Amino acid sequence: MAPIASSSHSNLVGLSQGLSLSDSAPQINDSPSFHPPVRSICCIGAGYVGGPTCTLLAARCPHIQVTIVDVNPSRIAAWNSPPDPLTGELTGLPVFEPGLGEVVKACRGRNLWFSTEIDEAIRAADLIFVSVNTPTKKSGIGAGYAADLHYVESSTRRIASVATSSKIIVEKSTVPCRTASSMRTILEANSRPGIHFDILSNPEFLAEGTAMRDLQNPDRVLIGCLDTPSGREAADRLGEVYENWVAPERIYTTGLWSSELSKLAANALLAQRISSINSLAAICESTGANIGEVAHACGLDKRIGPNFLRATCGFGGSCFSKDLLNLVYLSESLGLHPVAEYWRGVLAMNDWSKARFAQKVVSTMFNTITSKRVAVLGFAFKKDTGDTRESPAITLCRTFLEDNALLSIYDPKVPHEQIWRDLVNDPSRPSPSPYPGSGGVLLDSSLDASIASLKSSSRVTLASSALEACRDAEAVVITTPWDQFRTLDWQAVFSQMQKPAFVFDGHSGFLDVARLEKIGFKVQAVGRGPEKMDAWL
Ligand SMILES: NC(=O)C1=CN([C@@H]2O[C@H](COP(=O)(O)OP(=O)(O)OC[C@H]3O[C@@H](n4cnc5c(N)ncnc54)[C@H](O)[C@@H]3O)[C@@H](O)[C@H]2O)C=CC1
Ligand SMILES: O=C(O)[C@H]1O[C@H](OP(=O)(O)OP(=O)(O)OC[C@H]2O[C@@H](n3ccc(=O)[nH]c3=O)[C@H](O)[C@@H]2O)[C@H](O)[C@@H](O)[C@@H]1O
């Protein structure tokens, strides 16, 4: 495979063996004739990806009009919410991302619009990003594994039915391999005569909490296209948009199917590293080795590298599990059962890591947490986001509640209503969302009743600060590594806790264990062996 390099807008490299000609990356750049330079963009889906991605695009391309649309009016209203009158900050946005508010403020009303007028935005656009949710199917064929593509399909049908001019359609959502082919069939079967669509795959690699930084300075922009003159030209047009702020050598063009698969592959490989280090963390805890030292020692090898080797109480987030399940399903569908088993193992290790951590809390606290107050610090799946989808904190809190603990939970960004819903929602159903219609379950009466019952049981308190959450607690469990938890006044925490005061750190190397032990805490941290192992030295 050629290294990332580009001599034209399309970085036309990456012919993959085994692909038919139309699957492979194109080799030459034909003169344009199908699509004019992009002046107007529509993004369907105003979520964690569509919102930040197209906001940054609007900021870097003032000559392009960008309209982000969504079927969910409350989400769009939140994107259009006014600045706080006191601070001037945009605190009502539906997505919390450091730096996002400032960029929205600078562009909104200039060349950035948030709207529910989907048809109008589709008609006006030269290029359309499809950034809708692709959750794991909850029922029917492939339930629990396959991606639910009905949001992608309904967006595609809508484009076909309302478009009055030719367009470039860009898959931004993470989709199974060959989804572009289904989209093309739908578009061709439903569009008006004389209208031409080209479909590109342009997966998104941003991570929540660092989205604006990742979008501004991506490791790579991947564009998959068909090897046809119009497909190559469409890739050029999208490449030109990115070149307003991304160096051409970081824009990598491949065949469509390689691009679709690369997104699943990248997430699978990242998740695999976490499960690998978490498996080693378990060995450390039983031997007296320290996972921080082991990870550092391994990461010094340039072939391994230091990133994504932080042992934790398990990975979360809306995509790692979903995309791994998708890969497992794809492998099974292709009859590649050992491949499916291999990736399934990454998920199994993650489930085990969460269960193991919860078990450690219970066993350390003399094998019972019944009626003991446990302070849970953090509820989002990682710091600097308010997103709780697949957060390990949810699994841990549910386990503690099943063991009859009293929970006191604090997170700086997750709204209380979201925490209540996550605690009572059946995990086999879609993750509930504060934005009805956004892909999560709608608030229904049974959910409301469960929340009311949990609230009235007094088994869970939602605190307004970390210190408040820790008051009278017998244990503090760090589930999300927000910076403010590291710099907490731990002496003050200790003085107001029951004794012995336990701390369980779900993120290796996050807390200064030696300092906490000096204060008097009994500390357990993922991947840190027991003191007594060193006793024979
Ligand atoms: N969340 C993340 O950090 C990343 C997500 N992805 C992928 O991006 C895609 C979107 O993910 P998120 O933004 O997190 O999802 P999300 O659930 O936050 O947003 C999706 C939005 O699409 C809207 N929508 C659904 N169908 C629609 C339709 N027919 N017309 C108009 N709007 C519609 C929903 O109302 C929702 O607001 C998924 O495929 C995901 O795997 C990729 C990289 C990062
Ligand atoms: O497709 C997606 O949705 C995105 O998924 C991840 O991004 P994200 O889930 O937002 O955040 P990460 O930083 O990857 O963290 C995911 C989870 O892994 C955990 N993690 C991360 C790193 C690590 O070393 N150990 C570890 O347990 C985090 O605590 C978190 O729970 C990928 O990093 C993005 O490239 C990708 O675009």
Side-chain angles (χ1 to χ4, degrees):
M1 179 68 69
I4 295 179
S6 176
S7 54
S8 74
H9 294 306
S10 290
N11 172 27
L12 304 177
V13 293
L15 264 178
S16 309
Q17 287 194 341
L19 290 175
S20 70
L21 180 63
S22 63
D23 287 342
S24 62
Q27 294 293 290
I28 49 163
N29 192 10
D30 292 343
S31 55
S33 56
F34 299 92
H35 303 283
V38 175
R39 288 287 173 267
S40 174
I41 287 180
C42 165
C43 173
I44 303 181
Y48 285 89
V49 167
T53 306
C54 285
T55 294
L56 196 277
L57 194 153
R60 295 293 158 255
C61 308
H63 57 290
I64 297 179
Q65 291 296 315
V66 179
T67 306
I68 306 178
V69 295
D70 204 290
V71 284
N72 181 344
S74 58
R75 203 165 226 196
I76 290 299
W79 280 110
N80 282 322
S81 59
D84 182 291
L86 290 178
T87 62
E89 284 173 27
L90 281 182
T91 47
L93 297 182
V95 168
F96 170 72
E97 271 296 336
L100 173 64
E102 288 90 316
V103 189
V104 171
K105 227 162 82 173
C107 303
R108 207 172 55 181
R110 181 190 75 182
N111 67 327
L112 176 66
W113 316 91
F114 296 92
S115 170
T116 49
E117 301 292 329
I118 300 177
D119 296 352
E120 198 181 297
I122 289 174
R123 274 191 217 102
D126 306 311
L127 182 148
I128 300 172
F129 286 107
V130 177
S131 299
V132 299
N133 35 327
T134 52
T136 306
K137 278 184 82 172
K138 297 292 172 193
S139 60
I141 295 166
Y145 287 93
D148 181 348
L149 293 175
H150 92 267
Y151 302 100
V152 172
E153 177 163 342
S154 65
S155 309
T156 310
R157 286 185 182 277
R158 192 149 187 178
I159 294 168
S161 68
V162 305
T164 50
S165 60
S166 297
K167 297 181 191 305
I168 299 169
I169 314 298
V170 185
E171 274 177 358
K172 197 44 140 173
S173 300
T174 302
V175 290
C177 208
R178 297 197 81 94
T179 300
S181 172
S182 318
M183 290 172 77
R184 186 164 49 146
T185 307
I186 292 168
L187 288 168
E188 284 174 356
N190 292 287
S191 58
R192 292 161 206 223
I195 293 186
H196 179 80
F197 294 106
D198 273 293
I199 302 176
L200 301 175
S201 159
N202 174 222
E204 185 49 61
F205 295 102
L206 69 80
E208 288 179 33
T210 54
M212 300 312 280
R213 206 168 67 206
D214 298 343
L215 289 165
Q216 173 60 38
N217 191 19
D219 286 347
R220 78 301 209 186
V221 168
L222 183 56
I223 300 177
C225 67
L226 277 188
D227 187 15
T228 60
S230 66
R232 291 193 293 269
E233 193 195 73
D236 273 358
R237 291 288 172 250
L238 181 58
E240 284 164 9
V241 172
Y242 279 109
E243 281 188 24
N244 283 289
W245 78 96
V246 178
E249 57 277 12
R250 288 187 184 239
I251 301 174
Y252 180 48
T253 305
T254 66
L256 264 175
W257 325 130
S258 303
S259 174
E260 290 176 336
L261 185 58
S262 298
K263 172 64 197 179
L264 292 184
N267 273 0
L269 289 167
L270 290 170
Q272 180 209 42
R273 274 175 81 96
I274 303 171
S275 277
S276 298
I277 205 72
N278 282 346
S279 75
L280 295 165
I283 297 179
C284 287
E285 285 172 36
S286 302
T287 57
N290 182 314
I291 197 63
E293 291 173 353
V294 174
H296 188 67
C298 294
L300 286 172
D301 185 328
K302 286 195 185 65
R303 294 167 304 172
I304 297 171
N307 297 323
F308 267 70
L309 289 180
R310 191 166 29 83
T312 57
C313 52
F315 60 73
S318 63
C319 292
F320 278 172
S321 293
K322 164 176 86 68
D323 294 348
L324 276 164
L325 289 165
N326 201 335
L327 197 58
V328 169
Y329 186 70
L330 178 70
S331 311
E332 294 283 14
S333 317
L334 297 169
L336 303 171
H337 305 299
V339 179
E341 259 336 284
Y342 177 76
W343 292 111
R344 220 193 294 267
V346 174
L347 282 165
M349 179 54 63
N350 196 48
D351 288 342
W352 186 71
S353 299
K354 287 185 273 187
R356 196 175 69 82
F357 184 70
Q359 202 173 359
K360 182 113 192 185
V361 172
V362 177
S363 62
T364 306
M365 294 175 75
F366 319 113
N367 286 313
T368 176
I369 55 173
T370 297
S371 301
K372 292 181 179 170
R373 182 160 297 283
V374 176
V376 175
L377 297 191
F379 204 76
F381 82 94
K382 63 183 286 197
K383 72 168 183 170
D384 292 338
T385 179
D387 193 352
T388 61
R389 291 178 290 182
E390 303 290 329
S391 176
I394 300 174
T395 316
L396 294 170
C397 287
R398 285 168 179 274
T399 310
F400 298 151
L401 284 173
E402 276 162 24
D403 249 299
N404 298 312
L406 303 173
L407 299 186
S408 190
I409 304 171
Y410 171 69
D411 187 284
K413 282 293 166 195
V414 180
H416 285 187
E417 271 316 300
Q418 184 66 43
I419 298 179
W420 289 119
R421 283 178 212 139
D422 285 334
L423 289 177
V424 301
N425 194 51
D426 177 350
S428 64
R429 296 167 72 196
S431 178
S433 153
Y435 307 103
S438 73
V441 287
L442 295 176
L443 285 187
D444 56 31
S445 51
S446 69
L447 198 63
D448 283 344
S450 308
I451 290 173
S453 153
L454 185 61
K455 281 182 179 172
S456 67
S457 75
S458 304
R459 295 168 65 209
V460 178
T461 312
L462 302 188
S464 52
S465 74
L467 210 54
E468 183 190 318
C470 297
R471 194 165 303 140
D472 283 332
E474 305 203 16
V476 177
V477 181
I478 305 282
T479 42
T480 315
W482 286 95
D483 291 342
Q484 60 171 265
F485 300 155
R486 189 185 279 123
T487 53
L488 207 56
D489 182 348
W490 283 100
Q491 186 67 59
V493 171
F494 184 75
S495 61
Q496 62 175 23
M497 282 179 68
Q498 303 285 328
K499 308 294 175 320
F502 293 99
V503 171
F504 298 90
D505 187 353
H507 292 256
S508 83
F510 176 66
L511 292 177
D512 183 343
V513 174
R515 207 182 114 233
L516 293 188
E517 285 180 338
K518 215 164 154 202
I519 292 173
F521 287 105
K522 307 264 179 236
V523 186
Q524 295 279 356
V526 166
R528 181 173 171 267
E531 282 301 301
K532 64 178 182 308
M533 291 286 177
D534 295 335
W536 60 275
L537 286 176

